[in-house]
Amino acid sequence: MALERSDVEKIAHLARLGLNEADIPRTTDTLNSILGLVDAMQALDTDGIEPLAHPLEATQRLRADVVTEENRRDAYQAIAPAVENGLYLVPKVIE
């Protein structure tokens, strides 16, 4: 399937791309080479070939859900200007 200049102009209009007159022939050639590659890949015989991977069959390597750091909340709140019941107190900024 080869694209012509009018096809590229329609595609550019639908995609809201502003192509210059000088860019249209180069864009046409580029799109035709991409479509040629797709045609070549579709022409390959893939009967009997197993897929290499599938995203739904993948499993994640998970680490153990263990606490690795100590609780330092008291040390951090010791230097805070105002703390109450384990929460930082801040001045009201919206009235």
Side-chain angles (χ1 to χ4, degrees):
M1 173 182 172
L3 295 176
E4 297 181 10
R5 180 185 179 96
S6 61
D7 297 326
V8 172
E9 289 172 348
K10 288 178 190 175
I11 292 170
H13 174 72
L14 290 173
R16 302 293 191 251
L17 298 174
L19 290 180
N20 297 330
E21 288 296 320
D23 292 338
I24 292 177
R26 185 178 51 153
T27 305
T28 304
D29 292 339
T30 303
L31 289 174
N32 281 327
S33 66
I34 292 170
L35 291 175
L37 177 63
V38 169
D39 287 340
M41 289 191 309
Q42 287 180 343
L44 292 174
D45 181 23
T46 57
D47 292 337
I49 297 177
E50 291 289 325
L52 295 177
H54 192 278
L56 298 179
E57 296 170 357
T59 56
Q60 294 284 333
R61 291 178 289 166
L62 301 176
R63 62 174 173 80
D65 190 16
V66 229
V67 176
T68 57
E69 296 181 13
E70 62 184 62
N71 183 2
R72 300 193 56 199
R73 181 178 71 179
D74 294 333
Y76 293 141
Q77 289 185 346
I79 58 173
V83 177
E84 182 180 306
N85 297 328
L87 302 173
Y88 294 97
L89 300 178
V90 295
K92 185 177 181 178
V93 292
I94 299 177
E95 298 192 28

Coordinates of all heavy atoms in Angstrom, one line a residue:
M1 N 0.8 -1.2 0.0 CA 0.0 0.0 0.0 C 0.9 1.2 0.0 O 1.6 1.5 1.0 CB -0.9 0.0 1.2 CG -1.7 1.2 1.4 SD -2.7 1.1 3.0 CE -3.3 2.8 3.0
A2 N 0.9 1.9 -1.1 CA 1.7 3.1 -1.2 C 0.9 4.4 -1.0 O -0.2 4.4 -1.5 CB 2.4 3.2 -2.6
L3 N 1.4 5.3 -0.3 CA 0.7 6.5 0.0 C 1.1 7.5 -1.1 O 2.2 7.5 -1.6 CB 1.0 7.1 1.3 CG 0.6 6.3 2.6 CD1 1.1 6.9 3.8 CD2 -0.9 6.2 2.6
E4 N 0.1 8.4 -1.4 CA 0.4 9.5 -2.4 C 0.4 10.8 -1.6 O 0.1 10.8 -0.5 CB -0.6 9.4 -3.5 CG -0.6 8.2 -4.3 CD -1.7 8.2 -5.4 OE1 -2.3 9.3 -5.7 OE2 -1.8 7.1 -6.0
R5 N 0.7 11.8 -2.3 CA 0.8 13.1 -1.7 C -0.5 13.5 -1.1 O -0.5 14.1 0.0 CB 1.2 14.2 -2.8 CG 1.3 15.6 -2.3 CD 1.6 16.5 -3.4 NE 1.7 17.9 -2.9 CZ 2.8 18.5 -2.6 NH1 4.0 17.9 -2.7 NH2 2.8 19.7 -2.1
S6 N -1.6 13.3 -1.8 CA -2.9 13.7 -1.2 C -3.2 12.9 0.1 O -3.8 13.5 1.0 CB -4.0 13.4 -2.2 OG -4.1 12.1 -2.6
D7 N -2.8 11.6 0.1 CA -3.0 10.9 1.4 C -2.2 11.5 2.5 O -2.7 11.6 3.7 CB -2.6 9.4 1.2 CG -3.4 8.7 0.1 OD1 -4.6 9.0 0.0 OD2 -2.8 7.8 -0.6
V8 N -1.0 11.9 2.3 CA -0.2 12.5 3.3 C -0.7 13.8 3.8 O -0.7 14.1 5.0 CB 1.3 12.6 2.9 CG1 2.1 13.4 3.8 CG2 1.9 11.2 2.6
E9 N -1.3 14.6 2.8 CA -1.9 15.8 3.2 C -3.1 15.6 4.1 O -3.3 16.3 5.0 CB -2.2 16.6 1.9 CG -1.0 17.2 1.2 CD -1.4 17.8 -0.1 OE1 -2.5 17.6 -0.6 OE2 -0.5 18.4 -0.7
K10 N -3.9 14.6 3.8 CA -5.1 14.3 4.6 C -4.7 13.8 6.0 O -5.3 14.2 7.0 CB -5.9 13.2 3.9 CG -6.7 13.6 2.7 CD -7.4 12.5 2.1 CE -8.0 12.8 0.7 NZ -8.6 11.7 0.1
I11 N -3.6 13.0 6.0 CA -3.2 12.5 7.3 C -2.6 13.6 8.2 O -2.9 13.7 9.4 CB -2.1 11.4 7.1 CG1 -2.7 10.1 6.5 CG2 -1.4 11.1 8.4 CD1 -1.7 9.1 6.1
A12 N -1.9 14.5 7.5 CA -1.3 15.7 8.3 C -2.5 16.6 8.8 O -2.4 17.1 9.9 CB -0.4 16.5 7.3
H13 N -3.5 16.7 8.0 CA -4.7 17.5 8.4 C -5.4 16.9 9.6 O -5.7 17.6 10.6 CB -5.6 17.7 7.2 CG -6.9 18.5 7.6 ND1 -6.9 19.8 7.9 CD2 -8.1 18.0 7.8 CE1 -8.1 20.1 8.3 NE2 -8.9 19.1 8.2
L14 N -5.6 15.6 9.5 CA -6.3 14.9 10.6 C -5.4 14.9 11.9 O -6.0 15.0 13.0 CB -6.6 13.4 10.2 CG -7.6 13.3 9.1 CD1 -7.7 11.8 8.7 CD2 -9.0 13.7 9.6
A15 N -4.1 14.8 11.7 CA -3.2 14.8 12.9 C -2.9 16.3 13.4 O -2.2 16.4 14.3 CB -2.0 14.1 12.6
R16 N -3.4 17.2 12.7 CA -3.2 18.6 12.9 C -1.7 19.0 12.9 O -1.2 19.7 13.8 CB -3.8 19.1 14.3 CG -5.3 18.8 14.4 CD -6.0 19.7 13.5 NE -7.5 19.7 13.8 CZ -8.4 19.2 13.0 NH1 -8.0 18.6 11.9 NH2 -9.7 19.2 13.3
L17 N -1.0 18.4 11.9 CA 0.4 18.7 11.7 C 0.5 19.8 10.6 O -0.1 19.7 9.5 CB 1.1 17.4 11.2 CG 1.1 16.3 12.2 CD1 1.8 15.1 11.6 CD2 1.8 16.7 13.5
G18 N 1.3 20.7 10.8 CA 1.6 21.7 9.8 C 2.8 21.4 9.0 O 3.9 21.7 9.4
L19 N 2.6 20.7 7.8 CA 3.7 20.3 7.0 C 4.0 21.4 5.9 O 3.0 21.9 5.3 CB 3.4 19.0 6.3 CG 3.4 17.7 7.1 CD1 3.1 16.5 6.3 CD2 4.7 17.5 7.8
N20 N 5.2 21.7 5.7 CA 5.6 22.6 4.7 C 5.5 21.9 3.3 O 5.6 20.7 3.3 CB 7.0 23.2 4.9 CG 7.1 24.0 6.1 OD1 6.2 24.6 6.6 ND2 8.3 24.0 6.7
E21 N 5.4 22.7 2.2 CA 5.4 22.0 0.9 C 6.6 21.2 0.7 O 6.6 20.2 0.0 CB 5.2 23.1 -0.2 CG 3.8 23.7 -0.2 CD 2.7 22.7 -0.6 OE1 3.0 21.9 -1.5 OE2 1.7 22.8 0.0
A22 N 7.7 21.7 1.2 CA 9.0 21.0 1.0 C 9.1 19.7 1.8 O 9.8 18.8 1.4 CB 10.2 21.9 1.3
D23 N 8.4 19.6 2.9 CA 8.4 18.4 3.7 C 7.5 17.3 3.2 O 7.7 16.1 3.6 CB 8.0 18.8 5.2 CG 9.0 19.7 5.8 OD1 10.2 19.7 5.4 OD2 8.6 20.3 6.8
I24 N 6.5 17.6 2.4 CA 5.6 16.6 2.0 C 6.2 15.4 1.2 O 5.9 14.2 1.6 CB 4.4 17.2 1.3 CG1 3.6 18.1 2.2 CG2 3.5 16.1 0.6 CD1 2.4 18.8 1.6
P25 N 7.1 15.6 0.2 CA 7.7 14.5 -0.5 C 8.5 13.6 0.5 O 8.5 12.4 0.4 CB 8.5 15.1 -1.5 CG 8.0 16.5 -1.7 CD 7.4 16.9 -0.4
R26 N 9.3 14.2 1.4 CA 10.1 13.5 2.3 C 9.3 12.7 3.3 O 9.5 11.5 3.5 CB 11.0 14.4 3.0 CG 12.0 13.7 3.9 CD 12.9 14.7 4.6 NE 12.1 15.7 5.2 CZ 12.4 16.4 6.3 NH1 13.6 16.2 6.8 NH2 11.6 17.3 6.8
T27 N 8.2 13.3 3.8 CA 7.3 12.6 4.7 C 6.6 11.4 3.9 O 6.4 10.4 4.5 CB 6.2 13.6 5.2 OG1 6.9 14.7 5.8 CG2 5.3 12.9 6.2
T28 N 6.2 11.6 2.7 CA 5.6 10.6 1.9 C 6.5 9.4 1.8 O 6.1 8.2 1.9 CB 5.2 11.1 0.5 OG1 4.3 12.2 0.7 CG2 4.4 10.0 -0.3
D29 N 7.8 9.7 1.4 CA 8.8 8.6 1.3 C 9.0 7.9 2.6 O 9.1 6.6 2.7 CB 10.1 9.2 0.8 CG 10.0 9.7 -0.6 OD1 9.1 9.2 -1.3 OD2 10.9 10.5 -1.0
T30 N 9.0 8.6 3.7 CA 9.2 8.0 5.0 C 8.1 7.1 5.4 O 8.3 6.0 5.9 CB 9.4 9.1 6.1 OG1 10.5 9.9 5.7 CG2 9.7 8.5 7.5
L31 N 6.9 7.6 5.2 CA 5.7 6.8 5.5 C 5.6 5.6 4.6 O 5.2 4.5 5.1 CB 4.4 7.6 5.4 CG 4.2 8.7 6.5 CD1 3.0 9.5 6.2 CD2 4.1 8.0 7.9
N32 N 5.9 5.7 3.4 CA 5.9 4.5 2.5 C 7.0 3.5 2.9 O 6.7 2.3 2.8 CB 6.1 5.0 1.0 CG 4.9 5.5 0.4 OD1 3.8 5.1 0.7 ND2 5.0 6.5 -0.5
S33 N 8.1 3.9 3.4 CA 9.1 3.0 3.8 C 8.7 2.3 5.1 O 8.9 1.1 5.2 CB 10.5 3.6 4.0 OG 10.4 4.5 5.1
I34 N 8.0 3.0 5.9 CA 7.4 2.3 7.2 C 6.4 1.3 6.8 O 6.4 0.2 7.3 CB 6.9 3.4 8.1 CG1 8.0 4.2 8.7 CG2 6.1 2.7 9.2 CD1 7.5 5.4 9.5
L35 N 5.5 1.7 5.9 CA 4.4 0.7 5.4 C 5.0 -0.5 4.7 O 4.5 -1.6 4.8 CB 3.4 1.4 4.6 CG 2.5 2.5 5.3 CD1 1.6 3.2 4.3 CD2 1.7 1.8 6.4
G36 N 6.1 -0.2 3.9 CA 6.8 -1.3 3.3 C 7.4 -2.3 4.3 O 7.4 -3.5 4.1
L37 N 8.0 -1.8 5.4 CA 8.5 -2.6 6.4 C 7.4 -3.5 7.1 O 7.6 -4.7 7.3 CB 9.2 -1.8 7.5 CG 9.8 -2.5 8.7 CD1 10.9 -3.5 8.2 CD2 10.3 -1.5 9.7
V38 N 6.2 -2.9 7.3 CA 5.1 -3.6 7.9 C 4.7 -4.7 7.0 O 4.4 -5.8 7.4 CB 4.0 -2.6 8.2 CG1 2.7 -3.3 8.6 CG2 4.4 -1.7 9.4
D39 N 4.6 -4.4 5.7 CA 4.2 -5.4 4.7 C 5.2 -6.5 4.7 O 4.8 -7.7 4.6 CB 4.1 -4.8 3.3 CG 2.8 -3.9 3.2 OD1 1.9 -4.1 4.0 OD2 2.8 -3.1 2.2
A40 N 6.5 -6.2 4.7 CA 7.5 -7.3 4.7 C 7.4 -8.2 6.0 O 7.6 -9.4 5.9 CB 8.9 -6.7 4.6
M41 N 7.1 -7.6 7.1 CA 7.0 -8.4 8.3 C 5.7 -9.2 8.3 O 5.7 -10.3 8.8 CB 6.9 -7.4 9.6 CG 8.3 -6.8 9.9 SD 8.5 -6.0 11.4 CE 7.1 -4.9 11.5
Q42 N 4.6 -8.7 7.7 CA 3.4 -9.5 7.6 C 3.5 -10.6 6.6 O 2.8 -11.6 6.7 CB 2.2 -8.6 7.3 CG 1.8 -7.7 8.4 CD 0.6 -6.8 8.0 OE1 0.3 -6.6 6.8 NE2 -0.1 -6.3 9.0
A43 N 4.5 -10.5 5.7 CA 4.6 -11.6 4.7 C 5.4 -12.8 5.2 O 5.4 -13.8 4.6 CB 5.3 -11.0 3.5
L44 N 6.1 -12.6 6.4 CA 6.8 -13.7 6.9 C 5.9 -14.8 7.4 O 4.8 -14.6 7.9 CB 7.7 -13.2 8.1 CG 8.8 -12.2 7.8 CD1 9.5 -11.7 9.0 CD2 9.8 -12.9 6.9
D45 N 6.4 -16.1 7.3 CA 5.7 -17.3 7.7 C 6.0 -17.5 9.2 O 7.2 -17.8 9.5 CB 6.0 -18.5 6.9 CG 5.3 -19.7 7.3 OD1 4.2 -19.5 7.9 OD2 5.7 -20.8 7.0
T46 N 5.1 -17.3 10.1 CA 5.3 -17.5 11.5 C 4.6 -18.7 12.0 O 4.4 -18.8 13.3 CB 4.9 -16.3 12.3 OG1 3.6 -16.0 12.0 CG2 5.8 -15.1 11.9
D47 N 4.1 -19.6 11.2 CA 3.4 -20.8 11.6 C 4.4 -21.7 12.4 O 5.5 -21.9 12.0 CB 2.8 -21.6 10.5 CG 1.7 -20.8 9.8 OD1 1.1 -20.0 10.5 OD2 1.4 -21.1 8.6
G48 N 3.9 -22.2 13.6 CA 4.7 -23.1 14.4 C 5.8 -22.4 15.2 O 6.6 -23.1 15.9
I49 N 5.8 -21.1 15.2 CA 6.8 -20.4 16.1 C 6.1 -19.9 17.3 O 5.1 -19.2 17.3 CB 7.4 -19.2 15.3 CG1 8.2 -19.7 14.1 CG2 8.3 -18.4 16.2 CD1 8.7 -18.6 13.2
E50 N 6.7 -20.3 18.5 CA 6.1 -19.9 19.7 C 6.4 -18.4 20.0 O 7.5 -18.0 19.8 CB 6.7 -20.8 20.9 CG 6.2 -22.2 20.8 CD 4.7 -22.4 21.2 OE1 4.3 -21.6 22.0 OE2 4.1 -23.2 20.6
P51 N 5.5 -17.7 20.6 CA 5.8 -16.3 21.0 C 6.9 -16.4 22.1 O 7.0 -17.3 22.9 CB 4.5 -15.8 21.6 CG 3.5 -16.8 21.4 CD 4.1 -18.1 20.9
L52 N 7.7 -15.3 22.1 CA 8.8 -15.3 23.1 C 8.4 -14.9 24.5 O 8.8 -15.4 25.5 CB 9.9 -14.3 22.6 CG 10.6 -14.7 21.3 CD1 11.6 -13.6 20.9 CD2 11.3 -16.0 21.5
A53 N 7.4 -14.0 24.6 CA 7.0 -13.5 25.9 C 5.6 -13.0 25.8 O 5.1 -12.6 24.7 CB 7.9 -12.4 26.4
H54 N 4.9 -13.0 26.9 CA 3.6 -12.4 26.9 C 3.4 -11.6 28.2 O 3.8 -12.1 29.3 CB 2.5 -13.5 26.8 CG 1.1 -12.9 26.6 ND1 0.3 -12.4 27.6 CD2 0.4 -12.8 25.4 CE1 -0.8 -12.0 27.1 NE2 -0.8 -12.2 25.8
P55 N 3.0 -10.4 28.2 CA 2.9 -9.6 29.5 C 2.1 -10.2 30.6 O 2.3 -10.0 31.7 CB 2.4 -8.2 29.0 CG 1.8 -8.5 27.7 CD 2.4 -9.7 27.1
L56 N 1.0 -11.0 30.2 CA 0.2 -11.5 31.3 C 0.8 -12.7 31.9 O 0.3 -13.1 33.0 CB -1.2 -11.9 30.7 CG -2.0 -10.7 30.1 CD1 -3.3 -11.2 29.5 CD2 -2.2 -9.6 31.1
E57 N 1.8 -13.3 31.4 CA 2.5 -14.4 32.0 C 3.7 -14.1 32.8 O 4.3 -14.9 33.4 CB 2.9 -15.4 30.9 CG 1.7 -16.0 30.1 CD 2.1 -16.8 28.9 OE1 3.3 -16.8 28.6 OE2 1.2 -17.3 28.2
A58 N 4.0 -12.8 32.8 CA 5.2 -12.4 33.6 C 4.9 -12.3 35.0 O 3.8 -12.0 35.5 CB 5.6 -11.0 33.1
T59 N 5.9 -12.6 35.8 CA 5.8 -12.5 37.3 C 6.9 -11.6 37.8 O 8.0 -11.5 37.2 CB 6.0 -13.9 38.0 OG1 7.3 -14.4 37.6 CG2 4.9 -14.8 37.6
Q60 N 6.6 -10.8 38.8 CA 7.5 -9.9 39.3 C 8.4 -10.6 40.4 O 7.9 -11.3 41.2 CB 6.8 -8.7 40.0 CG 6.0 -7.9 39.0 CD 7.0 -6.9 38.2 OE1 8.1 -6.6 38.7 NE2 6.6 -6.6 37.0
R61 N 9.7 -10.2 40.4 CA 10.5 -10.7 41.5 C 10.2 -9.7 42.7 O 10.4 -8.5 42.6 CB 12.0 -10.6 41.1 CG 12.3 -11.6 40.1 CD 13.8 -11.5 39.7 NE 13.9 -10.3 39.0 CZ 15.1 -9.7 38.7 NH1 16.2 -10.2 39.2 NH2 15.1 -8.6 38.0
L62 N 9.7 -10.3 43.8 CA 9.4 -9.5 44.9 C 10.3 -9.6 46.0 O 10.9 -10.7 46.3 CB 7.9 -9.8 45.4 CG 6.8 -9.7 44.3 CD1 5.5 -10.2 44.9 CD2 6.7 -8.2 43.9
R63 N 10.6 -8.6 46.8 CA 11.4 -8.7 47.9 C 10.5 -8.9 49.2 O 9.3 -8.7 49.1 CB 12.2 -7.4 48.1 CG 11.4 -6.2 48.4 CD 12.3 -5.0 48.7 NE 11.5 -3.8 48.7 CZ 10.8 -3.4 49.8 NH1 10.8 -4.1 50.9 NH2 10.2 -2.2 49.8
A64 N 11.1 -9.4 50.2 CA 10.4 -9.6 51.4 C 9.9 -8.3 52.0 O 10.6 -7.3 52.0 CB 11.3 -10.3 52.5
D65 N 8.7 -8.3 52.5 CA 8.1 -7.0 53.0 C 8.5 -6.9 54.5 O 7.7 -7.3 55.4 CB 6.6 -7.1 52.8 CG 5.9 -5.8 53.2 OD1 6.6 -4.7 53.2 OD2 4.7 -5.7 53.3
V66 N 9.7 -6.4 54.7 CA 10.2 -6.3 56.1 C 10.7 -4.9 56.3 O 11.1 -4.2 55.4 CB 11.4 -7.2 56.3 CG1 11.3 -8.0 57.6 CG2 11.8 -8.1 55.2
V67 N 10.5 -4.4 57.5 CA 11.0 -3.1 57.9 C 12.5 -3.1 57.9 O 13.1 -4.0 58.6 CB 10.4 -2.6 59.2 CG1 10.9 -1.3 59.6 CG2 8.9 -2.6 59.1
T68 N 13.2 -2.2 57.2 CA 14.6 -2.2 57.2 C 15.2 -1.0 57.9 O 16.4 -0.9 58.1 CB 15.1 -2.3 55.7 OG1 14.6 -1.2 55.0 CG2 14.7 -3.6 55.1
E69 N 14.4 0.0 58.2 CA 14.9 1.2 58.8 C 14.2 1.3 60.2 O 13.0 0.9 60.4 CB 14.6 2.4 58.0 CG 15.4 2.4 56.7 CD 15.1 3.6 55.8 OE1 14.6 4.6 56.4 OE2 15.5 3.6 54.6
E70 N 14.9 2.0 61.1 CA 14.3 2.2 62.4 C 13.4 3.4 62.4 O 13.5 4.3 61.6 CB 15.4 2.3 63.5 CG 16.3 3.6 63.2 CD 17.4 3.6 64.2 OE1 18.2 2.7 64.2 OE2 17.4 4.7 65.0
N71 N 12.4 3.5 63.3 CA 11.5 4.6 63.5 C 12.3 5.7 64.1 O 12.7 5.6 65.3 CB 10.3 4.2 64.3 CG 9.3 5.3 64.4 OD1 9.5 6.4 63.8 ND2 8.2 5.0 65.1
R72 N 12.5 6.8 63.4 CA 13.2 8.0 63.9 C 12.3 9.2 64.1 O 12.8 10.3 64.1 CB 14.4 8.3 63.0 CG 15.3 7.1 62.9 CD 16.6 7.4 62.3 NE 17.3 8.5 63.0 CZ 18.3 9.2 62.5 NH1 18.7 9.0 61.3 NH2 18.8 10.2 63.2
R73 N 11.0 9.0 64.2 CA 10.0 10.1 64.3 C 10.3 11.0 65.5 O 10.3 12.2 65.4 CB 8.6 9.6 64.4 CG 7.6 10.7 64.5 CD 6.2 10.2 64.5 NE 5.9 9.6 65.8 CZ 4.8 9.1 66.1 NH1 3.8 9.1 65.3 NH2 4.6 8.5 67.3
D74 N 10.6 10.4 66.7 CA 10.9 11.2 67.9 C 12.1 12.1 67.7 O 12.1 13.2 68.1 CB 11.1 10.3 69.1 CG 9.8 9.6 69.4 OD1 8.7 10.1 69.1 OD2 9.8 8.5 70.0
A75 N 13.2 11.6 67.0 CA 14.4 12.3 66.8 C 14.1 13.5 65.8 O 14.6 14.6 66.0 CB 15.5 11.5 66.2
Y76 N 13.3 13.2 64.8 CA 13.0 14.3 63.9 C 12.1 15.4 64.5 O 12.2 16.5 64.2 CB 12.3 13.7 62.6 CG 13.2 12.9 61.8 CD1 12.7 11.7 61.2 CD2 14.5 13.2 61.6 CE1 13.5 10.9 60.4 CE2 15.4 12.4 60.8 CZ 14.9 11.2 60.2 OH 15.7 10.4 59.5
Q77 N 11.1 14.9 65.3 CA 10.2 15.9 65.9 C 10.8 16.6 67.1 O 10.3 17.7 67.5 CB 8.9 15.2 66.3 CG 8.1 14.7 65.1 CD 6.8 14.1 65.5 OE1 6.5 13.8 66.7 NE2 5.9 14.0 64.6
A78 N 11.9 16.1 67.6 CA 12.6 16.8 68.7 C 13.1 18.2 68.2 O 13.2 19.1 69.0 CB 13.7 16.0 69.2
I79 N 13.4 18.3 67.0 CA 14.0 19.6 66.5 C 12.9 20.5 65.8 O 13.2 21.6 65.3 CB 15.1 19.4 65.5 CG1 14.7 18.5 64.3 CG2 16.3 18.7 66.2 CD1 15.8 18.4 63.2
A80 N 11.7 20.0 65.7 CA 10.6 20.7 65.1 C 10.1 21.8 66.0 O 10.1 21.7 67.2 CB 9.4 19.8 64.8
P81 N 9.7 23.0 65.5 CA 9.2 24.1 66.3 C 8.0 23.8 67.1 O 7.9 24.2 68.3 CB 9.0 25.2 65.3 CG 9.4 24.8 64.0 CD 9.7 23.3 64.1
A82 N 7.0 23.0 66.5 CA 5.8 22.7 67.3 C 5.3 21.3 66.8 O 5.1 21.0 65.7 CB 4.7 23.8 66.9
V83 N 5.0 20.5 67.9 CA 4.6 19.1 67.6 C 3.5 18.8 68.7 O 3.6 19.2 69.8 CB 5.7 18.1 67.8 CG1 5.2 16.7 67.6 CG2 6.8 18.4 66.8
E84 N 2.4 18.1 68.2 CA 1.4 17.7 69.1 C 0.9 16.3 68.7 O 0.5 16.1 67.6 CB 0.2 18.7 69.1 CG -0.9 18.4 70.1 CD -2.0 19.4 70.0 OE1 -1.7 20.6 70.2 OE2 -3.1 19.1 69.8
N85 N 0.9 15.4 69.6 CA 0.4 14.0 69.4 C 1.1 13.4 68.2 O 0.4 12.7 67.4 CB -1.1 14.0 69.2 CG -1.8 14.4 70.5 OD1 -1.4 14.2 71.6 ND2 -3.0 15.1 70.3
G86 N 2.4 13.6 68.0 CA 3.1 13.0 66.9 C 2.9 13.7 65.6 O 3.3 13.2 64.5
L87 N 2.2 14.8 65.5 CA 2.0 15.6 64.3 C 2.7 16.9 64.3 O 2.8 17.5 65.4 CB 0.5 15.8 64.1 CG -0.4 14.5 64.0 CD1 -1.9 14.9 64.0 CD2 0.0 13.7 62.9
Y88 N 3.2 17.4 63.2 CA 3.8 18.7 63.1 C 2.7 19.7 63.1 O 1.7 19.6 62.3 CB 4.7 18.8 61.8 CG 5.9 17.9 61.8 CD1 5.8 16.6 61.2 CD2 7.0 18.2 62.5 CE1 6.9 15.8 61.2 CE2 8.1 17.4 62.5 CZ 8.1 16.2 61.8 OH 9.2 15.4 61.8
L89 N 2.9 20.8 63.8 CA 2.0 21.9 63.8 C 2.6 23.0 62.9 O 3.7 23.4 63.1 CB 1.7 22.4 65.2 CG 1.1 21.4 66.2 CD1 0.9 22.0 67.5 CD2 -0.3 20.9 65.6
V90 N 1.8 23.5 62.0 CA 2.2 24.6 61.1 C 1.3 25.8 61.2 O 0.1 25.6 61.6 CB 2.3 24.1 59.7 CG1 3.3 23.0 59.5 CG2 0.9 23.6 59.2
P91 N 1.7 26.9 60.9 CA 0.9 28.1 61.0 C -0.2 28.0 59.9 O 0.0 27.5 58.8 CB 1.8 29.3 60.7 CG 3.1 28.8 60.4 CD 3.1 27.3 60.6
K92 N -1.4 28.6 60.2 CA -2.5 28.6 59.3 C -2.2 29.6 58.2 O -1.8 30.8 58.4 CB -3.8 29.1 60.0 CG -5.0 29.0 59.2 CD -6.2 29.4 60.0 CE -7.5 29.4 59.2 NZ -8.6 29.7 60.0
V93 N -2.3 29.2 56.9 CA -2.0 30.1 55.8 C -3.2 30.5 55.0 O -3.1 31.5 54.2 CB -0.9 29.4 54.8 CG1 0.4 29.3 55.5 CG2 -1.4 28.1 54.4
I94 N -4.3 29.8 55.1 CA -5.5 30.2 54.4 C -6.6 30.6 55.5 O -6.8 29.9 56.5 CB -6.1 29.0 53.6 CG1 -5.0 28.6 52.6 CG2 -7.4 29.4 53.0 CD1 -5.5 27.4 51.8
E95 N -7.2 31.7 55.3 CA -8.2 32.2 56.2 C -9.6 31.9 55.8 O -9.9 31.8 54.6 CB -8.0 33.7 56.4 CG -6.6 33.9 57.0 CD -6.5 35.4 57.5 OE1 -7.5 36.0 57.9 OE2 -5.3 35.8 57.6

